[in-house]
Amino acid sequence: MIALYSEAHAAHAPAFENFRGERVPCFETPQRAQIIRAQLQARGHAMGAPHVDSRSVLAQVHTARYLRFLEGAWAQWLAIDAANAGRQPFPSVWPVRTLRSDVEPANFTARLGLYSMDNGAPLVEGTWQAAKAGADAAASAAALLLAGERSVFCCSRPPGHHAGADFMGGFCFLNNAAVAAQALRQGGAQRVAVLDVDYHHGNGTQSIFYDRADVLFASLHGDPRTEYPFYLGHTDETGEGAGHGFNLNLPLPAGCPVHDWFAALDVALSRIVAFRADALVVSLGLDTFAGDPISTFQLEAADFLRLGQRLAAARLPVIFVLEGGYAAAELGVNAVNVLDGFEQVCA
């Protein structure tokens, strides 16, 4: 399997984040991608670099003003005060119910709040560079699939599935899974399925495709009544307008047994097969691992091998896009187990 990797991801390396009221070291670090790359190389997977500029697809996934803000955010932060080079900006006000979001404020912190769903996506100087490289990897993966490759893995970060059309959040800035799906559609795939197996619901991906019938979104995740992102991911969210019936949420309780998790996966895969998708994008969250520090599901290393085998049984060309997973020591083994399980069935 071809794995796409760019060193540009390391430019996004925030020193800290705010977690449950405390300032803590970031869970989402450059080491995540580096550990996975080392395991990919150790097991003989072919490594490549992104080769497609994603800007045209990004403009179809995200709004123009959000992209403009995100690309220029660090320069705007420094323009306020040169000393800001040593500070991480965080939003402090958000346009919630009754407040307007159609008028972009002149104040930087207010703009940051306008384009954020939470304070969990810390910006640094290299954030745009890293996020754009991840989107380029997703667009490149789509080009490879359209050219005949069976599967491609985007070993990129920061993750993307919490990023919506006009907002960042949950470590995510640009929605790589959505970029991959849109690039596949733009390249000729009639129907694309996105399967999100991250512990946390892919609220951004759902919202981007919620009114469309050409992209099916299916997700199994922690119950949003108790788990982040809390405000999306319920079973009654089935799509709207043309997209009605093309959104499937399978929320699971904290501590969900492995058997129940795989039963939900089978439901999602059955819906994808019935959809007659031409290609599948997998938002590959690995925070379902039993040892993950911010999640509660119970998958072990061997279960990720099994996950890859189940995905291969759908007999679809697949783009795997790295999302969450914060048990750094085990991350490489778990990620590559999915890919190897997939390859075993497809060989």
Side-chain angles (χ1 to χ4, degrees):
M1 184 182 302
I2 297 174
L4 299 178
Y5 178 88
S6 169
E7 287 290 353
H9 80 84
H12 177 68
F16 68 93
E17 63 177 273
N18 295 312
F19 182 68
R20 296 174 182 170
E22 295 186 37
R23 175 171 160 163
V24 300
C26 282
F27 290 101
E28 205 289 299
T29 67
Q31 287 70 38
R32 297 178 64 244
Q34 292 161 354
I35 288 168
I36 295 173
R37 179 188 62 169
Q39 187 66 211
L40 286 164
Q41 293 173 326
R43 298 203 207 173
H45 288 273
M47 303 295 295
H51 60 283
V52 174
D53 187 337
S54 61
R55 281 187 183 272
S56 65
V57 186
L58 281 171
Q60 299 175 54
V61 169
H62 295 286
T63 65
R65 72 174 191 172
Y66 173 63
L67 291 172
R68 184 168 56 249
F69 170 77
L70 189 59
E71 185 170 8
W74 192 253
Q76 295 169 31
W77 178 236
L78 294 185
I80 298 169
D81 184 348
N84 281 346
R87 306 183 183 117
Q88 287 181 203
F90 284 92
S92 58
V93 61
W94 291 266
V96 297
R97 294 164 297 281
T98 76
L99 300 181
R100 293 182 63 177
S101 60
D102 60 316
V103 179
E104 187 179 58
N107 178 277
F108 176 82
T109 303
R111 286 200 304 279
L112 187 57
L114 175 65
Y115 296 119
S116 300
M117 64 174 277
D118 58 19
N119 66 0
L123 279 166
V124 293
E125 182 177 6
T127 296
W128 169 259
Q129 178 186 355
K132 174 61 164 51
D136 290 348
S140 300
L144 288 167
L145 238 65
L146 292 166
E149 289 293 333
R150 180 181 57 200
S151 57
V152 182
F153 173 54
C154 297
C155 185
S156 51
R157 54 162 296 277
H161 70 152
H162 294 308
D166 61 354
F167 61 84
M168 65 188 82
F171 306 145
C172 302
F173 301 90
L174 297 175
N175 195 309
N176 301 321
V179 167
Q182 184 62 31
L184 287 167
R185 283 287 294 115
Q186 185 175 298
Q190 295 301 303
R191 291 176 296 276
V192 177
V194 180
L195 173 63
D196 195 318
V197 297
D198 194 279
Y199 180 79
H200 306 96
H201 178 255
N203 61 285
T205 314
Q206 172 173 307
S207 66
I208 288 167
F209 296 117
Y210 202 60
D211 61 354
R212 289 172 53 170
D214 58 335
V215 178
L216 171 72
F217 177 72
S219 175
L220 44 154
H221 51 269
D223 190 331
R225 291 176 300 174
T226 60
E227 309 303 314
Y228 181 93
F230 304 114
Y231 307 113
L232 216 59
H234 299 280
T235 56
D236 63 349
E237 297 156 14
T238 58
E240 64 183 11
H244 181 68
F246 296 95
N247 196 89
L248 173 66
N249 285 323
L250 299 163
L252 299 164
C256 171
V258 172
H259 176 271
D260 292 351
W261 191 89
F262 274 98
L265 176 67
D266 286 344
V267 172
L269 288 173
S270 294
R271 179 69 69 87
I272 289 167
V273 170
F275 178 61
R276 294 182 292 115
D278 298 311
L280 173 63
V281 177
V282 177
S283 272
L284 186 57
L286 300 157
D287 46 6
T288 50
F289 177 58
D292 194 272
I294 60 174
S295 306
T296 69
F297 285 171
Q298 301 298 312
L299 274 67
E300 299 288 353
D303 294 314
F304 291 100
L305 192 72
R306 186 177 163 202
L307 169 58
Q309 294 166 345
R310 292 284 185 92
L311 294 172
R315 300 295 175 185
L316 291 170
V318 178
I319 295 173
F320 295 92
V321 178
L322 180 62
E323 300 287 3
Y326 309 102
E330 298 85 1
L331 195 59
V333 169
N334 292 341
V336 185
N337 275 2
V338 176
L339 309 183
D340 285 354
F342 183 89
E343 291 285 279
Q344 288 171 6
V345 174
C346 292

